[in-house]
Amino acid sequence: MKQDIILSGVGGQGILSIATIIGEAATQAGLNLKQAEVHGMSQRGGDVQSNLRLSTEPISSDLIAVGTADMILSLEPMEALRYLPYLNKDGWIITSSAPFKNIPNYPEDEALMAELKALPNVVTIDVEQLAKEHQMPKCANVILLGAASRYLGVLSVEQMRESIARVFASKGEAVVEMNKRAFDIGHSAAQK
């Protein structure tokens, strides 16, 4: 069993934290893991992307080939579309619907959403709004991870929740519980 995931977004959104949580869960589950990160001008709102490969078998490369990704997990809808050529024909896009308009020629919201909705396997969730509604503005990334957990075939929901506890343990129990709650909110939102 394998799963190749492209994580994408804009610097500061928490893409690398998502990679850490998934990677830690995979390591604890005894899976093989390879990761490659591309940091754009992250402090200036540039793109950030990570290739995350999980498998029960050995993995030879840390890069995902065009047309082979099982999932694009993105905190920014235009960034999700940027990596569309990497997605396999049955792959899933799990993305925030809230755009981060950091360039002057950013596409119109309606056109962007229409392009996403025309694809076969897409889940769009306004994770920024959910984070605000639940008074956890720094947890939008973990909400998105919760939504994606429904499509992470190699890891269970409980493995992911345990990983969140380990990753955030040094920040205290309140932070751990808030992130677990954020994960559960995203998991529920993806069901609707």
Side-chain angles (χ1 to χ4, degrees):
M1 180 178 266
K2 73 152 189 80
Q3 193 148 33
D4 289 342
I5 306 165
I6 293 180
L7 305 165
S8 65
V10 174
Q13 289 186 306
I15 284 297
L16 300 180
S17 294
I18 291 174
T20 299
I21 294 166
I22 295 172
E24 201 281 336
T27 300
Q28 288 296 316
L31 295 172
N32 293 297
L33 163 72
K34 294 266 185 179
Q35 181 179 0
E37 296 173 1
V38 175
H39 304 269
M41 298 290 287
S42 60
Q43 292 185 1
R44 295 185 185 175
D47 70 312
V48 175
Q49 181 259 341
S50 180
N51 283 237
L52 192 57
R53 305 191 71 205
L54 312 171
S55 179
T56 53
E57 303 299 320
I59 304 167
S60 54
S61 173
D62 55 356
L63 296 177
I64 297 171
V66 171
T68 64
D70 300 298
M71 179 186 294
I72 296 172
L73 180 55
S74 183
L75 278 158
E76 209 291 322
M78 189 177 76
E79 292 298 325
L81 289 172
R82 177 193 305 255
Y83 296 100
L84 191 57
Y86 288 87
L87 195 64
N88 73 40
K89 64 180 179 56
D90 299 317
W92 282 86
I93 295 175
I94 316 297
T95 185
S96 171
S97 60
F100 187 94
K101 297 182 179 183
N102 57 345
I103 56 173
N105 58 342
Y106 194 94
E108 292 296 321
D109 294 354
E110 296 79 22
L112 189 62
M113 286 301 123
E115 193 170 343
L116 280 167
K117 296 204 188 267
L119 298 168
N121 301 318
V122 177
V123 175
T124 60
I125 298 174
D126 191 342
V127 294
E128 296 292 334
Q129 184 59 38
L130 280 172
K132 286 177 190 170
E133 286 173 15
H134 293 278
Q135 292 82 44
M136 50 179 64
K138 293 184 178 182
C139 296
N141 61 334
V142 180
I143 292 172
L144 187 69
L145 177 58
S149 69
R150 292 187 170 276
Y151 307 93
L152 287 173
V154 296
L155 294 167
S156 71
V157 168
E158 196 49 44
Q159 286 171 315
M160 296 300 296
R161 290 181 96 253
E162 290 169 3
S163 178
I164 288 167
R166 288 187 295 270
V167 167
F168 291 107
S170 66
K171 297 183 184 258
E173 192 60 30
V175 172
V176 168
E177 289 308 314
M178 181 173 54
N179 279 282
K180 281 183 173 181
R181 196 169 129 241
F183 179 87
D184 293 343
I185 289 165
H187 187 76
S188 294
Q191 187 177 15
K192 294 177 182 173

